[in-house]
Amino acid sequence: MKRLLIFVAVIAVLGLTAAKLLTNKENTEAKIYKPDPNLRVGVRTAVAELRNMSQENKFLGSFSPNRKIEIRPQAGGEIVRLPITEGQHIGTGQLVAKLDDDQLRFQVEALQVTLEGHQNDLRRFEVLVKGDAVPAVNIERTKLSIRSTQAQIKQLNKQIANTTISAPFSGIITSKMVEKGSVVSIGTPMAEITDISSLKLVVNVPEKAIHQFRMGQSIPVQTEVYPDAKFPGKVTMISAEGDEAHNYPVEITVPNTTDNPLKAGMYGSIANLNEVKGQSLAVPRQAIMGSAKEPQLYVVENGKAVLKNVSIGNSTNEYYEITKGLKAGDRVVTSGQINLQNGTLVSAQ
């Protein structure tokens, strides 16, 4: 009898435990959110349509001089003339500096005396050889001495010429590093000449826009200093190699003017029109998801969001050209994609 009571008690406890667990399960399931299969996600949409994809791209850069060099002498010595000042305009061939050449001229004078002596010896030997008074070898030795002396004189005259330092091209003296009376050696920087008769505007163009430029292309240039003036520019260099950010330097040469003079270091900008012939199928930029290599978007079809792969072409600040995967009139999702999966029911707003 006692065992029976214990068995009944155990059965009762197990029954109560099972009932409690079942009740807890029902309460837990009741708290779990079950999405309504007929619930629609609200999204914003736009219609894919033909658009003119022309866009004006602006690129900013700074002007650099056409040419700039440091004047360095090919001879050494004391500066006896220095008729230049900073900011002075100087013409091609105009004197920049004159070095002392007295010692070189004295050496030339001494060699000319030696040369004259060799020439006199030659004339005497030629007479004596005819009478067999001296061997003919003396004539050959004298001729070699004459040639050697003449070579030394040419070398000294070249050194004398190098003591006159002239401007290799027209420009402005932007820096003077020495003064009259200074003693310089070969290669010492003396002055800097900058040619700004024309200037070079260098702009960095992104990879997607570099195809808009070609050599010799005419492009108007604007500046912040003269906002109402446009300067005629011509593309003179397109870099064959971009930097790590895939930007390519493009050089536009601009002739300088007296009316609106430009200076090196000023900012300049170009506006290049990227024209797409005819109209192109386009969607708002917000519709595109994924990367530029594998772009995707959602198209609303029969009340559902259908994920599609597309190909994109040119772009503007607001639209992407669609070259594949879409047709005119398709309605694309522009907002709310984060709540969507392929096949999700949507409510277009």
Side-chain angles (χ1 to χ4, degrees), residues 53-55 208-209 211-212 274-277 280-283 285 312-316 319-323:
M53 293 291 289
S54 296
Q55 180 188 16
K208 65 179 182 180
H211 70 279
Q212 302 174 25
N274 174 22
E275 295 184 352
V276 179
K277 294 182 179 180
S280 304
L281 183 65
V283 298
R285 297 179 70 94
I312 60 178
N314 291 289
S315 65
T316 67
Y319 294 94
Y320 269 117
E321 177 189 14
I322 304 298
T323 59

Side-chain angles (χ1 to χ4, degrees), residues 25-154:
K25 179 181 178 182
E26 291 176 352
N27 293 337
T28 301
E29 290 179 348
K31 294 179 181 180
I32 295 176
Y33 171 75
K34 295 181 179 180
D36 185 352
N38 298 319
L39 182 65
R40 295 178 179 271
V41 177
V43 295
R44 292 183 179 179
T45 61
V47 177
E49 55 188 359
L50 297 177
R51 290 184 176 274
N52 186 343
M53 293 291 289
S54 296
Q55 180 188 16
E56 190 176 64
N57 295 320
K58 288 192 175 181
F59 305 102
L60 179 67
S62 60
F63 289 105
S64 59
N66 180 41
R67 292 177 291 182
K68 181 172 70 172
I69 65 166
E70 281 187 347
I71 302 295
R72 297 171 180 260
Q74 295 181 337
E78 180 185 353
I79 300 175
V80 294
R81 292 182 60 193
L82 191 67
I84 59 170
T85 57
E86 291 188 0
Q88 171 190 348
H89 185 275
I90 192 169
T92 304
Q94 187 173 337
L95 180 66
V96 174
K98 182 70 175 73
L99 305 182
D100 181 17
D101 59 1
D102 287 348
Q103 291 296 328
L104 295 174
R105 292 186 183 276
F106 295 154
Q107 293 179 46
V108 171
E109 186 177 350
L111 286 172
Q112 286 175 341
V113 172
T114 302
L115 177 62
E116 185 177 350
H118 290 320
Q119 291 171 339
N120 292 335
D121 290 341
L122 178 62
R123 286 191 291 269
R124 285 193 296 269
F125 285 139
E126 287 175 342
V127 172
L128 294 173
V129 166
K130 289 180 181 180
D132 295 328
V134 294
V137 68
N138 290 332
I139 293 180
E140 296 300 324
R141 290 174 178 173
T142 304
K143 285 182 177 180
L144 290 175
S145 297
I146 290 174
R147 289 176 58 187
S148 175
T149 305
Q150 289 174 335
Q152 294 178 57
I153 292 174
K154 288 180 179 179

Side-chain angles (χ1 to χ4, degrees), residues 198-263:
S198 61
L199 296 104
K200 300 173 183 177
L201 177 66
V202 181
V203 297
N204 288 320
V205 179
E207 179 181 3
K208 65 179 182 180
I210 193 64
H211 70 279
Q212 302 174 25
F213 297 85
R214 63 184 184 276
M215 292 295 293
Q217 178 183 1
S218 297
I219 297 180
V221 175
Q222 292 181 301
T223 64
E224 294 181 355
V225 180
Y226 310 109
D228 298 327
K230 287 189 176 182
F231 299 86
K234 181 176 290 186
V235 177
T236 52
M237 189 278 292
I238 301 175
S239 178
E241 183 179 2
D243 58 19
E244 294 181 356
H246 296 271
N247 292 322
Y248 293 79
V250 174
E251 180 183 276
I252 298 95
T253 299
V254 180
N256 212 342
T257 64
T258 55
D259 296 335
N260 297 311
L262 298 171
K263 296 183 181 295

